[in-house]
Amino acid sequence: SRAGWGVLLKAWLTLFVHACRMALQDMPIFAMLRSRLSYLSERQRMIAQNVANADTPGYTPSDLRPFTIAQGSRMASPLAPVMPAQTAAMHLAGTLPRTRNSPFRSAETPDSETTMDGNSVVLEEEMMRLTQARMDYDAAIGFYQKSLGLIRMATRRPGGG
């Protein structure tokens, strides 16, 4: 029964939390969720970069490869800064260093159309990607909050508040 599983899960979590003195970031579920949230943040940054370059001649949009369990097991490093694209000689060059600290790999993903100037960003497709990334982010945040709630419940004194 569902109630039986809840009691069993609470007992297991209580034993786990009290037997192991580990920080939240050391628990596999939280490490995985943190990595997933980092991946989704990086994906949103990449999509925003695609939208920002919608009028840049010859620009091909990029997207991250799908998230995998192997990526989730690694710690995510800080996100790389967004660099402006210099599209004309009179434009100012970006002053931020071009470093890629992200453990996630991108791939050029030309959209379904290419304009006469070689730009292949389709704003409608980018907005669909952004919406999907946002929904995935919201789901991961919800799962993170529920997991924290289970940990809090497991650490309470039995019969106490």
Side-chain angles (χ1 to χ4, degrees):
S1 80
R2 183 170 243 187
W5 278 105
V7 171
L8 182 64
L9 179 62
K10 182 175 176 15
W12 183 83
L13 281 173
T14 302
L15 178 65
F16 177 77
V17 169
H18 291 290
C20 303
R21 297 234 183 252
M22 78 172 31
L24 279 179
Q25 63 266 21
D26 295 334
M27 293 182 187
I29 186 71
F30 290 106
M32 178 68 70
L33 284 169
R34 193 172 59 250
S35 183
R36 174 74 173 160
L37 290 170
S38 179
Y39 166 84
L40 291 167
S41 294
E42 177 74 8
R43 185 163 190 234
Q44 287 179 345
R45 184 201 64 78
M46 193 165 280
I47 293 168
Q49 186 175 359
N50 291 344
V51 171
N53 286 295
D55 293 329
T56 303
Y59 184 81
T60 302
S62 298
D63 197 2
L64 294 180
R65 293 186 179 134
F67 185 80
T68 63
I69 299 297
Q71 287 174 324
S73 64
R74 294 188 306 244
M75 286 297 296
S77 54
L79 299 177
V82 176
M83 293 298 301
Q86 188 175 5
T87 59
M90 297 301 293
H91 289 176
L92 297 175
T95 57
L96 298 173
R98 281 194 182 266
T99 58
R100 296 290 302 158
N101 294 330
S102 176
F104 308 111
R105 300 290 166 237
S106 66
E108 285 192 352
T109 55
D111 287 336
S112 60
E113 303 170 10
T114 302
T115 59
M116 296 294 282
D117 65 1
N119 186 306
S120 59
V121 176
V122 178
L123 291 176
E124 291 82 5
E125 291 178 22
E126 295 301 321
M127 291 302 107
M128 287 174 27
R129 287 181 185 152
L130 186 61
T131 300
Q132 183 63 50
R134 178 58 194 208
M135 290 183 339
D136 291 346
Y137 192 89
D138 289 343
I141 287 288
F143 193 64
Y144 193 90
Q145 290 171 339
K146 292 290 183 183
S147 298
L148 278 177
L150 284 172
I151 296 294
R152 283 188 199 111
M153 182 176 68
T155 57
R156 285 191 208 131
R157 236 177 337 148

